[in-house]
């Protein structure tokens, strides 16, 4: 018989072991190895069976064992010492507290998923893992972030592979009482709730769970409560499940409900609301509308409130393709906002924010990324290349501007080193290099010999092999409970063979099966008698992605061939627990997406933190960090006639690299059996990439380049009863109304000989018509650079021309508007040889604009 409900009964800890309860309640244990070690010591068998979850461990361990430990003074002292270390970590000033100048009091970080630990399965892939790493690094740096997400009762899904290789999904229901969570409660002890008004006079209620991620609080909204109608209880049933309206409800809850949850916390803790709101992808974009509604209630107009919200909002886009953006039918959004959900907001203003009112857009769709960009004054992609792609993809929002001027910057993702670096490597750094912080260790030092580093790499590979054998055995037993697993499972993979990892979500563009393009050639590579290679592969396909499932099936079928099944394996149910052994255990990390469709690709970063080398298409982060010594770049066949030809060319390039460069470098050993060139590459990777790829570097960039400027802008908009926001809104309306009268009438140049040389100066005079605007409203700029095909200017730079005078007069004109042309002048130094091109443009200018392109207005010389 099956239970109608499950819940976890926790052991009562003896008073002397109260420290264990504190340590388990804070998710710092997910990346703090000393804390993990004490829980493993309590009961190694229970620790393994609970997959390294302290909360589950304390629910599983026998009371007799706890009593025994309570009477052990050494163990009690150990636990108390770790509790003291946790308190010091939570309270002592860290990097952020040492920053000078204005900095945000609090940052609200909104994401649809968070990957913190395997014990809290609220993530599907890279977006969630990135969000979890962001919170962890913020905690380590002392950045005052508060995370906001949803609590999904079934998480994403559990993956199994059928006998015919087809992915099968299941959705085990999570018991929040058995997770490292607590309910946020009001002063009287009742659970705190938020509520959203829905169409048809209905309401959506949500309870607020909270998790402590080091110094960071994470709020998670849950609709599975009695206050809701049955259909609404399932709004937070699973991550990325359901159709359009279900998804819209989730995103309304995340954005609107998330801000309301922050308001509850603010009241309970007597702390101010965040000054900066970071929207991690478009799913949480509705948070800006809730804030606008609140400001309208305080007396601002919609446009004035929009300026306040934009000033303090940061938007991060993670997708390089329009198909990856959430879009809803305009009529559906209109229906939900024609309610009392957001008092003071006109539904027309809401719809305009998400309107695809640009060339190629659909008037019937509401675009969440477009709304996110319009609600945020600062936006970024997640690698340098992705920033370039994003500027192209969203350029329609800033017509007339070159792609380089589109106001989307980039902050390359990073990964949390303490989470993803194997404890064996951390211990080597601690004992030989004097620090357990592997990103700060001197990996070029002779204090660590090649033999010692090679031995640790071998141990990590061995861990992976044993874990792979265990996982396939357990998967067999789940599907065949009355059968004995095949004996050959115990010989699966070889801990001495060059091991290549490939694990990620399985959409078609990531090309899981590119390696199978020529099966016979791949077999020869796997079975090479002198230089064999083995593959460990994992990944989940979205439940609705039939083509992705077919790719998994194709790989599983190949891996079941008796000839090669000991050299290639697909591991089901890819998750954090698997990943923490997979990344360190692979010698090479493979990534072969269709360029430029990989926004960043952080899996290869995690391998690099462990000394793994990357073998990748030059896409995402690898495009900016590949240097020839830290791995290999797979050539891209962009000019191929079709997708099939491109796959064939890039697969051949992959095979060639494996046979002629990767395998030879790995198996070329000295007299002591050490691959010296390979070790050189490992040291170089650890020394140069570890600091750059760390989430700490990423979060520091967000703080210094985005959060601090956003906080300063938000404060400027709110002082003196939002006077600056009111003035900026009025100014923008005036500029937009009058911009039709702005034009570059004529451009003159001089100062150069017949043969210009480096060091010469180009003198430019531009006659500008301002119409109803004044010189203070605009910037007149020379845009110059290398002139390429079609007279396009590349590597453009700008010089602002000087304050104007009225055409036909040598006297300075007054500052008022007038119909006469204004003459602007200035010089451009010719600093580089080669073809040179320039033009003149006019753009709006105001102290509170973050970019000249912010209004999407420009006048250019013709």
């Amino acid at each position: 018989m099956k239970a109608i409900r499950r819940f976890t009964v926790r052991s009562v800890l003896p008073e002397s072991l109260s420290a264990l309860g504190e340590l388990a309640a804070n998710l710092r244990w997910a990346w703090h190895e000393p804390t993990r070690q004490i829980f493993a010591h309590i009961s190694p068998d229970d620790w393994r069976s609970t997959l390294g979850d302290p909360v589950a461990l304390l629910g599983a361990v026998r009371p007799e064992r706890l009593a025994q430990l309570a009477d052990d003074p050494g163990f009690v002292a150990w636990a108390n010492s770790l509790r003291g270390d946790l308190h010091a970590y939570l309270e002592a000033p860290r990097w952020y507290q040492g920053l000078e100048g204005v900095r945000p009091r609090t940052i609200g970080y909104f994401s649809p998923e968070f990957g913190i630990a395997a014990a809290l399965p609220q993530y599907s892939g890279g977006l969630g893992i990135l969000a979890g790493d962001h919170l962890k690094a913020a905690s380590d740096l002392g950045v005052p972030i508060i995370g906001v997400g949803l609590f999904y009762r079934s998480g994403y899904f559990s993956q199994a592979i059928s006998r015919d290789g087809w992915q099968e999904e299941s959705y085990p229901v999570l018991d929040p009482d058995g997770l490292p969570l607590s309910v946020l409660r009001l002063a009287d002890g009742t659970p705190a709730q938020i509520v959203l008004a829905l169409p048809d006079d209905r309401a959506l209620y949500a309870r607020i769970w909270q998790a402590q991620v080091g110094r960071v609080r994470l709020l998670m909204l849950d609709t599975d409560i009695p206050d809701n109608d049955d259909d609404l209880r399932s709004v937070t049933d699973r991550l990325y499940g359901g159709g359009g309206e279900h998804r819209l409800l989730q995103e309304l809850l995340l954005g609107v409900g998330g801000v309301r949850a922050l308001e509850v916390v603010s009241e309970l803790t007597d702390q101010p609301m965040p000054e900066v709101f970071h929207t991690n992808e478009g799913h949480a974009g509705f948070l800006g509308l809730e804030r606008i509604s609140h400001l309208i209630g305080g007396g601002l107009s919609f446009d004035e409130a929009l300026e306040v919200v934009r000033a303090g909002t940061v938007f991060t886009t993670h997708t390089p393709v329009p198909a990856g953006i959430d879009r809803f039918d305009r009529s559906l959004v209109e229906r939900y906002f024609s309610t009392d959900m957001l008092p003071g907001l006109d539904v027309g203003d809401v719809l305009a924010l998400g309107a695809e009112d640009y060339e190629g857009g659909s008037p019937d769709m509401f675009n969440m990324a477009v709304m996110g960009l319009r609600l945020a004054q600062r936006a970024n992609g997640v690698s340098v290349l992705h920033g370039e792609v994003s500027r192209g993809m969203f350029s329609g929002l800033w017509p007339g501007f070159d792609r380089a001027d589109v106001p989307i910057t980039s902050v390359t993702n990073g990964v949390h080193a303490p989470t993803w670096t194997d404890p064996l490597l951390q211990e080597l750094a601690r004992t030989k290099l004097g620090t357990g912080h592997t990103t700060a260790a001197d990996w070029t030092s002779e204090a660590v010999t090649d033999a010692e580093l090679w031995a640790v790499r071998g141990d990590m590979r061995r861990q992976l092999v044993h874990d792979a054998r265990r996982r396939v055995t357990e998967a067999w037993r789940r599907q065949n409970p009355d059968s004995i697993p095949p004996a050959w499972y115990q010989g699966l993979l070889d801990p001495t063979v060059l091991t290549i990892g490939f694990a990620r979500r399985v959409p078609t563009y990531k090309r899981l099966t590119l390696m199978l393009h020529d099966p016979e050639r791949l077999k020869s590579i796997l079975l090479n008698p002198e230089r064999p290679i083995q593959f460990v592969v994992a990944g989940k396909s979205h439940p609705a992605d039939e083509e992705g499932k077919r790719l998994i099936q194709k790989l599983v079928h190949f891996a079941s061939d008796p000839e090669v099944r000991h050299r290639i394996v697909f591991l089901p149910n890819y998750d954090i627990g698997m990943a923490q052994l997979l990344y360190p255990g692979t010698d090479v990390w493979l990534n072969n997406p269709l360029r430029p469709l990989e926004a960043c690709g952080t899996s290869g970063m995690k391998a690099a933190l462990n000394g793994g080398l990357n073998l990748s298409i030059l896409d995402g982060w690898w495009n900016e960090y590949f240097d020839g010594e830290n791995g290999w770049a797979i050539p891209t066949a962009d000019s191929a006639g079709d997708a099939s030809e491109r796959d064939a060319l890039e697969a051949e390039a992959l095979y060639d690299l494996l046979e002629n460069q990767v395998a030879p470098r790995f198996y070329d050993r000295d007299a002591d059996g050490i691959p010296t060139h390979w070790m050189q590459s490992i040291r170089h990777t650890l020394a140069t990439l570890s600091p750059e790829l760390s989430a700490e570097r990423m979060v520091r960039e967000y703080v210094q380049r985005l959060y601090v400027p956003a906080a300063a802008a938000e404060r400027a908009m709110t002082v003196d009863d939002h006077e600056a926001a009111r003035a900026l809104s009025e100014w923008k309306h005036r500029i937009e109304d009058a911009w039709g009268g702005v034009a570059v009438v004529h451009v003159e140049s001089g100062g150069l000989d017949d043969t210009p040389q480096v060091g010469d100066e180009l003198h430019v005079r531009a006659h500008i018509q301002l119409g109803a605007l004044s010189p203070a409203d605009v910037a007149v700029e020379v845009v110059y650079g290398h002139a390429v095909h079609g007279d396009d200017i590349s590597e453009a730079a700008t010089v602002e021309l000087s304050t104007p005078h009225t055409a036909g007069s040598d006297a300075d004109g007054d500052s008022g508007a007038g119909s006469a042309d204004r003459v602007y002048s200035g010089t451009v130094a010719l600093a580089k040889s080669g073809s040179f091109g320039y033009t003149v443009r006019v753009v709006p200018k105001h102290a509170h604009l973050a970019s000249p392109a912010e209004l999407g207005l420009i006048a250019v010389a013709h």
Side-chain angles (χ1 to χ4, degrees):
M1 298 180 67
K2 293 185 177 181
I4 60 171
R5 181 171 180 257
R6 288 190 313 163
F7 54 87
T8 300
V9 180
R10 304 188 189 187
S11 297
V12 177
L13 288 172
E15 179 61 31
S16 62
L17 296 183
S18 61
L20 294 179
E22 286 191 50
L23 294 171
N26 192 308
L27 280 159
R28 187 199 184 204
W29 55 256
W31 70 92
H32 189 244
E33 186 59 23
T35 302
R36 295 178 62 80
Q37 289 174 355
I38 194 171
F39 284 112
H41 176 83
I42 292 173
S43 173
D45 290 340
D46 288 329
W47 182 245
R48 282 190 292 270
S49 67
T50 58
L51 304 180
D53 175 1
V55 174
L57 170 79
L58 294 180
V61 68
R62 294 178 293 106
E64 297 82 6
R65 174 58 175 162
L66 292 176
Q68 179 186 26
L69 292 171
D71 291 335
D72 182 343
F75 183 85
V76 172
W78 184 12
N80 289 338
S81 174
L82 285 171
R83 175 166 58 184
D85 178 79
L86 174 62
H87 288 176
Y89 172 85
L90 298 176
E91 297 162 6
R94 303 185 78 81
W95 170 82
Y96 189 82
Q97 285 66 44
L99 289 181
E100 297 181 356
V102 176
R103 58 179 189 261
R105 290 186 296 268
T106 314
I107 301 109
Y109 183 88
F110 286 62
S111 179
E113 48 177 303
F114 286 92
I116 309 292
L120 193 60
Q122 300 291 301
Y123 59 93
S124 71
L127 179 68
I129 300 298
L130 180 278
D133 283 4
H134 197 108
L135 297 193
K136 293 173 184 177
S139 174
D140 291 342
L141 293 169
V143 181
I145 276 180
I146 181 167
V148 181
L150 303 181
F151 177 73
Y152 305 96
R153 282 291 172 139
S154 295
Y156 189 38
F157 69 86
S158 293
Q159 179 196 52
I161 303 299
S162 69
R163 289 191 176 186
D164 66 351
W166 194 252
Q167 172 180 290
E168 297 177 333
E169 301 92 23
S170 61
Y171 296 87
V173 176
L174 302 172
D175 171 22
D177 292 326
L179 299 175
L181 300 173
S182 61
V183 173
L184 181 67
R185 297 184 181 277
L186 301 177
D188 62 3
T190 59
Q193 290 187 356
I194 59 92
V195 60
L196 274 63
L198 300 182
D200 304 321
D201 294 323
R202 304 180 77 202
L204 176 66
Y205 296 87
R207 168 174 43 196
I208 306 169
W209 293 98
Q210 55 184 348
Q212 200 62 37
V213 186
R215 299 166 70 114
V216 171
R217 188 198 301 255
L218 171 61
L219 307 179
M220 308 172 80
L221 304 181
D222 175 15
T223 62
D224 188 16
I225 55 177
D227 303 73
N228 284 321
D229 296 340
D230 288 345
D231 60 324
L232 295 179
R233 292 186 69 156
S234 65
V235 166
T236 54
D237 57 349
R238 60 184 66 168
L239 182 58
Y240 303 142
E245 187 165 7
H246 187 263
R247 187 75 162 261
L248 178 62
L249 278 165
Q250 288 188 338
E251 299 189 3
L252 287 168
L253 179 63
L254 174 59
V256 177
V259 174
R260 294 178 183 179
L262 287 175
E263 290 170 345
V264 173
V265 172
S266 176
E267 293 174 5
L268 289 174
T269 61
D270 198 27
Q271 295 294 317
M273 285 286 284
E275 291 177 287
V276 174
F277 287 77
H278 186 168
T279 307
N280 190 38
E281 200 38 275
H283 311 77
F286 290 125
L287 71 87
L289 300 183
E290 165 67 9
R291 296 177 61 212
I292 289 174
S293 174
H294 179 79
L295 289 164
I296 290 174
L300 297 186
S301 70
F302 174 85
D303 290 332
E304 292 164 349
L306 177 60
E307 296 306 328
V308 178
V309 168
R310 279 177 47 77
T313 301
V314 174
F315 174 73
T316 298
T317 174
H318 289 262
T319 179
V321 291
I325 297 171
D326 274 355
R327 300 162 76 228
F328 299 104
D329 288 338
R330 177 186 174 93
S331 59
L332 179 64
V333 176
E334 183 176 18
R335 177 169 175 260
Y336 271 86
F337 283 98
S338 299
T339 62
D340 295 328
M341 183 188 299
L342 296 177
L345 256 68
D346 180 84
V347 69
D349 289 329
V350 172
L351 294 174
L353 288 170
E356 295 184 352
D357 52 357
Y358 44 82
E359 185 177 354
S362 171
D364 298 326
M365 300 305 295
F366 185 93
N367 187 306
M368 294 296 290
V370 166
M371 180 181 67
L373 290 165
R374 286 173 171 155
L375 285 171
Q377 194 174 40
R378 290 163 180 81
N380 69 283
V382 292
S383 69
V384 171
L385 179 59
H386 181 236
E388 296 173 5
V389 171
S390 298
R391 287 188 286 275
M393 188 164 71
F394 295 109
S395 60
L397 295 176
W398 293 272
F401 285 89
D402 291 340
R403 286 188 178 188
D405 293 319
V406 170
I408 301 175
T409 185
S410 62
V411 176
T412 301
N413 283 343
V415 294
H416 188 242
T419 295
W420 301 110
T421 306
D422 193 277
L424 293 172
L425 193 64
Q426 294 181 39
E427 182 61 21
L428 180 67
R430 184 177 297 107
T431 57
K432 296 294 182 177
L433 301 176
T435 176
H437 298 289
T438 55
T439 60
D442 179 9
W443 291 104
T444 63
S445 170
E446 295 180 356
V448 171
T449 67
D450 279 357
E452 290 168 331
L453 185 53
W454 179 240
V456 167
R457 289 288 313 156
D459 288 341
M460 294 191 294
R461 193 185 311 111
R462 194 170 296 108
Q463 284 180 162
L464 170 59
V465 169
H466 292 160
D467 187 61
R469 293 173 180 173
R470 178 187 65 81
R471 287 179 182 275
V472 296
T473 300
E474 290 181 354
W476 171 274
R477 285 177 173 150
R478 281 193 295 271
Q479 288 191 322
N480 306 274
D482 298 324
S483 301
I484 299 174
W488 66 267
Y489 279 7
Q490 297 310 306
L492 176 68
L493 305 177
D494 183 331
T496 67
V497 166
L498 169 59
T499 303
I500 298 179
F502 184 104
R504 53 195 21 88
R505 290 184 305 109
V506 190
T508 53
Y509 79 86
K510 292 181 183 282
R511 297 192 296 184
L512 171 73
T513 57
L514 184 69
M515 67 182 77
L516 303 183
H517 180 76
D518 184 341
E520 293 307 312
R521 187 167 181 188
L522 178 59
K523 282 184 179 181
S524 70
I525 291 172
L526 296 173
L527 301 175
N528 186 297
E530 296 179 355
R531 295 170 174 168
I533 292 177
Q534 59 192 12
F535 282 85
V536 182
V537 185
K540 293 179 176 180
S541 178
H542 188 281
D545 185 358
E546 296 294 305
E547 184 55 35
K549 293 180 185 181
R550 276 190 283 273
L551 295 179
I552 292 175
Q553 185 180 46
K554 183 177 179 181
L555 190 133
V556 170
H557 281 171
F558 178 85
S560 64
D561 183 338
E563 189 178 3
V564 296
R565 64 190 182 190
H566 61 300
R567 287 278 186 263
I568 182 169
V569 61
F570 182 89
L571 300 180
N573 208 32
Y574 181 41
D575 66 1
I576 288 176
M578 178 192 297
Q580 287 178 314
L581 292 177
L582 179 55
Y583 298 129
T586 50
D587 300 292
V588 174
W589 196 259
L590 175 63
N591 192 24
N592 45 231
L594 282 168
R595 188 179 191 270
L597 302 185
E598 185 79 272
C600 185
T602 54
S603 58
M605 293 179 167
K606 301 178 185 95
L609 289 186
N610 289 280
L613 309 186
N614 274 265
L615 171 62
S616 177
I617 295 286
L618 285 173
D619 201 3
W621 75 275
W622 190 235
N623 185 66
E624 63 196 89
Y625 282 110
F626 168 66
D627 65 9
E629 183 61 34
N630 51 20
W632 299 266
I634 303 170
T636 302
D638 303 83
S639 58
D642 56 28
S644 178
E645 181 185 359
R646 180 173 181 175
D647 285 351
L649 291 171
E650 295 182 6
E652 288 297 317
L654 170 61
Y655 298 143
D656 286 342
L657 285 169
L658 289 172
E659 291 176 320
N660 301 317
Q661 295 191 41
V662 181
R665 187 183 302 186
F666 182 84
Y667 286 106
D668 184 13
R669 310 290 172 86
D670 65 12
D672 296 321
I674 306 295
T676 53
H677 188 181
W678 193 274
M679 297 310 301
Q680 176 183 318
S681 296
I682 289 177
R683 287 182 184 271
H684 176 77
T685 293
L686 290 171
T688 61
L689 290 185
S690 291
E692 286 294 309
L693 303 184
S694 75
E696 286 197 2
R697 184 273 308 156
M698 173 188 70
V699 171
R700 284 195 297 267
E701 275 198 59
Y702 273 109
V703 168
Q704 294 167 329
R705 292 177 49 206
L706 296 172
Y707 295 164
V708 167
E714 195 271 349
R715 291 180 186 182
M717 289 293 105
T718 55
V719 296
D720 298 328
D721 190 26
H722 305 93
E723 179 181 342
R726 300 177 196 272
L728 181 59
S729 173
E730 186 279 330
W731 178 85
K732 283 187 175 182
H733 280 295
R734 182 167 60 83
I735 298 297
E736 289 166 348
D737 290 343
W739 195 257
V742 177
V744 180
V745 178
H746 178 63
V747 177
E748 304 167 356
S749 64
L752 299 178
D753 294 331
D754 291 339
T755 307
Q757 297 180 354
V758 173
D760 288 350
E761 289 188 340
L762 172 70
H763 297 266
V764 178
R765 284 166 55 89
H767 295 249
I768 307 299
Q769 176 181 302
L770 294 181
L773 300 182
S774 74
D777 292 324
V778 302
V780 179
E781 300 172 333
V782 177
V783 182
Y784 66 94
H786 180 60
V788 292
H789 305 295
D791 296 328
D792 290 334
I793 297 173
S794 67
E795 302 176 14
T798 61
V799 169
E800 185 171 354
L801 299 182
S802 64
T803 305
H805 57 266
T806 306
S809 170
D810 292 330
D812 289 343
D814 61 34
S815 60
S819 59
D821 294 348
R822 301 278 178 166
V823 179
Y824 289 72
S825 60
T827 60
V828 176
L830 305 185
K832 296 181 180 180
S833 59
S835 62
F836 180 88
Y838 76 95
T839 189
V840 172
R841 73 180 187 183
V842 187
V843 292
K845 182 179 181 179
H846 192 284
H848 293 309
L849 296 184
S851 161
E854 188 166 317
L855 274 70
L857 300 174
I858 187 170
V860 182
H862 295 288

